[in-house]
Amino acid sequence: MPKRTTYGERWKILGSLAEGGQAHTFKVRNLADDSTNWVLKRLKNDRRAFRFEREIRALDALDSPHIPKTVDYSIDEPSYYVTENLGDDLKRYALSNSLSITHALHLFEQVVSAARDAHEISIVHRDIKPNNVVIAPDGTTAYLIDFGICQYSDGELTMLTTDEPFGNAAFAAPECFLGREEEPGPPSDVYSLGKLLYWMVSGGRYINRERLSSAVFERIAANNDLIRFYLMRLIRGTVVEDPAGRWTASRLLEEVHATQRLVCRVTQHESRGEIVLTDGFGDEDSFNPSSTNSARSKDPNYPPNFQVISMGGPLLDTD
């Protein structure tokens, strides 16, 4: 139960939403206009007051369309902040909504954009996972939430890495565990983003560390191997043990945009009754049926209206 029912003489508790180790979240009513689409997060563990203050300051500094803004907060007792209630978390959303590859990439692109925006002002989330991504009710928009263990220094609050946890083990980068020499930073988020993408396109499956085997490839929920290749390329650029070997969030965002175009191109061919077997071209290139590197022919294994398109060599190896 909440310690009180009203906060800041403005927010009236309507019910509990969730409870974590650091804070309790509630659905609240705005007494100024009687609206109810708000979430209040209240510190419940005074020993984590420093961490909660860092989260509030980080959110206040962020300006991203895919990170909820704080509309009210208090660092003094009782410590809390309020954001708009934007939807269900991704894990819950995926239980009742089947994610196509196109839809997953659309949402993932927005999460990557949020991480990129945070990194640009030296904020590292450190806990990117399905529970910390919120999806709007219409399924069009994704938001990155819960900066409770973020890495941030604003000149007053400097994060100390030696005695703090670093997120969910299924998504956290190797350097986020105690005993590693590498310093967690922006590459840690990129690693988690790669794990998140795989979770989204494989029906909620996980990658065991960096073991990107053929079995991992085959679990991607796409009927076309080329599309699996495109997605694995994103994962191979992010789920890498060495932080220096990973893409930046900005590079990942560019690659996601390119992948969206590639997937769209293959989908368009398929919609015309054509089967694309291999694709060695870039995302801005088009199929040239007269090229010596291309072949276009009927395939007896498919209905008469289907054609097979072979463009260059395979994009990359799956093992």
Side-chain angles (χ1 to χ4, degrees):
M1 294 297 292
K3 296 179 180 178
R4 57 175 69 195
T5 59
T6 304
Y7 289 79
E9 300 182 355
R10 177 181 176 185
W11 308 104
K12 176 73 172 179
I13 297 292
L14 298 179
S16 178
L17 291 175
E19 183 175 3
Q22 175 168 294
H24 206 145
T25 57
F26 304 94
K27 181 178 180 180
V28 293
R29 181 190 306 277
N30 185 348
L31 298 178
D33 60 10
D34 215 33
S35 57
T36 59
N37 59 318
W38 307 101
V39 172
L40 182 144
K41 185 173 182 179
R42 186 205 69 211
L43 176 67
K44 75 169 190 177
N45 186 343
D46 291 339
R47 289 177 297 178
R48 298 186 176 181
F50 177 86
R51 183 187 295 176
F52 194 72
E53 181 179 353
R54 186 177 65 233
E55 179 180 8
I56 290 173
R57 291 187 183 275
L59 288 173
D60 196 45
L62 282 162
D63 184 15
S64 171
H66 298 290
I67 298 174
K69 292 291 292 182
T70 53
V71 297
D72 188 25
Y73 66 86
S74 172
I75 294 176
D76 299 327
E77 173 66 27
S79 296
Y80 70 88
Y81 68 82
V82 179
T83 60
E84 187 177 356
N85 188 351
L86 296 168
D88 282 334
D89 69 60
L90 176 58
K91 191 169 186 177
R92 188 175 302 166
Y93 179 86
L95 289 175
S96 54
N97 298 272
S98 178
L99 284 177
S100 68
I101 298 299
T102 301
H103 190 192
L105 281 171
H106 173 72
L107 297 175
F108 181 68
E109 179 267 330
Q110 297 175 52
V111 179
V112 176
S113 175
R116 188 263 330 257
D117 292 343
H119 292 177
E120 286 182 346
I121 59 170
S122 302
I123 295 175
V124 183
H125 188 282
R126 300 200 307 167
D127 196 17
I128 296 176
K129 58 186 179 183
N131 310 66
N132 286 338
V133 174
V134 165
I135 308 300
D138 64 2
T140 62
T141 311
Y143 304 91
L144 183 60
I145 66 166
D146 197 348
F147 284 71
I149 61 171
C150 72
Q151 179 184 33
Y152 179 48
S153 174
D154 65 354
E156 296 179 20
L157 296 170
T158 302
M159 192 275 301
L160 300 176
T161 63
T162 55
D163 60 351
E164 298 192 37
F166 296 101
N168 187 297
F171 296 91
E175 67 271 16
C176 291
F177 297 96
L178 296 179
R180 298 284 299 211
E181 293 183 359
E182 304 95 333
E183 180 75 13
S188 305
D189 281 352
V190 171
Y191 182 101
S192 298
L193 286 166
K195 290 284 188 80
L196 175 70
L197 174 63
Y198 185 75
W199 185 93
M200 294 174 72
V201 299
S202 67
R205 294 176 180 269
Y206 302 90
I207 299 173
N208 183 14
R209 288 294 303 271
E210 300 83 44
R211 296 184 177 91
L212 306 182
S213 65
S214 58
V216 168
F217 173 85
E218 292 164 2
R219 293 187 185 112
I220 295 175
N223 294 325
N224 186 293
D225 275 351
L226 267 182
I227 292 177
R228 290 193 182 96
F229 281 130
Y230 301 149
L231 295 170
M232 282 300 295
R233 183 170 182 273
L234 297 179
I235 293 166
R236 288 180 184 278
T238 53
V239 185
V240 178
E241 182 173 7
D242 181 5
R246 300 171 202 153
W247 294 338
T248 64
S250 294
R251 167 76 185 278
L252 176 57
L253 189 59
E254 293 173 358
E255 298 291 350
V256 170
H257 290 158
T259 300
Q260 288 174 306
R261 293 191 292 269
L262 288 165
V263 169
C264 180
R265 185 173 66 176
V266 170
T267 303
Q268 288 174 344
H269 279 297
E270 291 181 334
S271 71
R272 295 195 295 264
E274 299 166 345
I275 304 300
V276 182
L277 295 181
T278 57
D279 181 359
F281 295 133
D283 65 285
E284 298 294 347
D285 296 329
S286 59
F287 172 63
N288 179 3
S290 63
S291 170
T292 57
N293 292 325
S294 303
R296 183 172 182 152
S297 62
K298 298 285 187 179
D299 188 326
N301 296 317
Y302 293 97
N305 63 315
F306 276 71
Q307 291 182 315
V308 176
I309 298 175
S310 179
M311 302 188 292
L315 189 65
L316 50 85
D317 190 2
T318 60
D319 293 325

